[in-house]
Structures are given as C-alpha cells and as structure tokens.
Amino acid sequence: MNKKLIYFFLSFLFSLNLWAQKEKDSLFFKIHFKWKTETLDLNKNYISKSDTLQLNVLKFYISGIEIKYNNGTFYREKNSYHLVDIENFKPFTISKFENKTIENIVFNIGVDSTACVSGANGGDLDLQNGMYWAWQSGYINMKIEGKSNSCKTRKNQFQFHIGGYIEPNYARRTININGNFNDKNQIDLVMDLSKLFEEINLSEINSIMIPGEKAMHLADVTTKIFSIE
C-alpha cells in the first residue's frame, strides 16, 4: 500500500477518535423547535387561533448559561453568547462533561447591555449576522419573520424584532428551568413557538421593529415558551 495512503488512513482514524472523545467529554445544548406537538419548520403552514401563518426567519440569542448540579456545584459559561438560527442550528458545546446529575439550568434570551455597547465583536456577536441595530446600536434579542393572511401588509408579512438594552425597555429575559434532565451528556430544550403567537393578534399587530412597550410584552412571553424535553 502507498505510504501516503497509509498515512492518510491513519490520520483519518486518529481524527475520528478525537471527535468521538470530544463528543464523550462534552456537555451539549440542543433545542427542539416545536409548534405544539409538531416539529417546527420554516415555510410550513401552522394554525394559531384564527390565523394561518408560516415562518421564514427565527433567530435569537442565548447567553449567560448557568448549570446547577444536584450536589450543589455550579458551572457558569464564560463569554456565553450563542446565536441560534433554526435554519442551520446544531447543538453547541457549553462545558466539559461532568458525571453529575443536572438539577437546574438558567440562561438568558438576548444580549446584555455590556455587549450592546462594547463596539466591534466577533463570532456569534459579529455584526454581519444581521442581529444588530446599526441605526440605534444594540442587538436584536429575537427575530421572527413570516407571513399570514391576517396581515394587511405587503405580501402579508409580519416582522418582530425584539430588543432594547436601556431601561425601561430592557428586553433581555432570564429563563430558569428545573426538572429531570435525563441525558447527562446533553441538555434537550424544547421551544414551543405556538405559545408566543397565542399572545399576538396578527390582524392588529404585525410589526415590532423598535424597543418599546409592545417589544417588552413579547419579551415577557418568551419566558413561557421554553421547557425541557
């Protein structure tokens, strides 16, 4: 066998072993996107009250992840900013795996004021990700776009860009979940977006693009749409 081929084959096996070891040694954060009991997909029709709607965009930030174990120890993720995009979401690593039972997780929907005013950022906070309001500064915590026949707008579109980092319009919200986390190696979070649209009458409200009272109301509702699998 050619020496180069042997070297390539051994390198491939070594890489597979490293990947498998990393999977074993890591704690992953996974989100199951739902519409009630259905899997949530883009460009698919769903019914909310009297509205039939479909989503084209669903993006939001998860930050400040903290994990409490049943022995009283904690893990707090440093530089904890994750951009979640339903279109290409993959479970992300949040810590080294600990062979301990998870009792509680805490995280934020949105980005803190420090990140909003800190200037140029990279990675998930890169301004090129389309989640930053250049016209007033600050990140969009959650972006939801789609269409519904209830919307008397161009192409029946609705747009909800929820954000704001200055009181009284501080839109970041904290989620605190207790429960039975069966898989020690992975946190399985459920996001049921139907609960958000139960609070929206699309024939009356179909566009929120600035911080304010309406954005704060939807930010409050986001605390109700997450649970564990």
Side-chain angles (χ1 to χ4, degrees), residues 20-58:
Q21 189 63 40
K22 182 179 179 181
E23 292 281 306
K24 181 180 178 181
D25 293 343
S26 299
L27 175 63
F28 292 93
F29 196 104
K30 184 175 183 179
I31 301 174
H32 302 267
F33 302 97
K34 298 284 188 178
W35 186 276
K36 298 181 181 177
T37 58
E38 295 181 66
T39 298
L40 180 66
D41 295 309
L42 296 181
N43 306 310
K44 179 180 176 180
N45 286 338
Y46 296 97
I47 296 176
S48 175
K49 297 184 292 189
S50 59
D51 294 313
T52 298
L53 60 89
Q54 61 178 241
L55 298 172
N56 309 128
V57 175
L58 175 59

Side-chain angles (χ1 to χ4, degrees), residues 132-199:
Y132 192 83
W133 277 319
W135 54 272
Q136 71 158 35
S137 78
Y139 285 91
I140 300 168
N141 292 343
M142 182 175 287
K143 179 183 285 190
I144 304 170
E145 298 179 2
K147 61 182 181 180
S148 168
N149 290 334
S150 296
C151 299
K152 306 308 178 185
T153 55
R154 184 175 179 271
K155 296 184 179 179
N156 304 115
Q157 294 176 330
F158 59 80
Q159 294 180 308
F160 301 116
H161 294 185
I162 306 167
Y165 68 94
I166 300 174
E167 295 291 354
N169 297 316
Y170 189 43
R172 189 185 69 167
R173 294 294 184 269
T174 299
I175 314 294
N176 193 321
I177 297 179
N178 298 301
N180 184 17
F181 296 86
N182 296 316
D183 190 343
K184 293 182 179 181
N185 191 243
Q186 180 168 286
I187 293 171
D188 288 287
L189 195 70
V190 174
M191 179 186 186
D192 182 359
L193 205 65
S194 71
K195 294 179 180 179
L196 184 74
F197 280 89
E198 287 173 0
E199 303 285 333

Side-chain angles (χ1 to χ4, degrees), residues 36 45 52 69 86 97 104 127 158 192 211 213-214:
K36 298 181 181 177
N45 286 338
T52 298
Y69 295 98
I86 189 175
F97 170 65
N104 169 267
L127 307 188
F158 59 80
D192 182 359
E213 184 177 343
K214 292 179 181 178

Side-chain angles (χ1 to χ4, degrees), residues 64-66 75-82 93-95:
I65 297 175
E66 298 184 7
Y75 171 79
R76 293 181 176 89
E77 186 182 41
K78 296 180 180 179
N79 300 315
S80 182
Y81 302 104
H82 301 276
T93 303
I94 56 176
S95 76

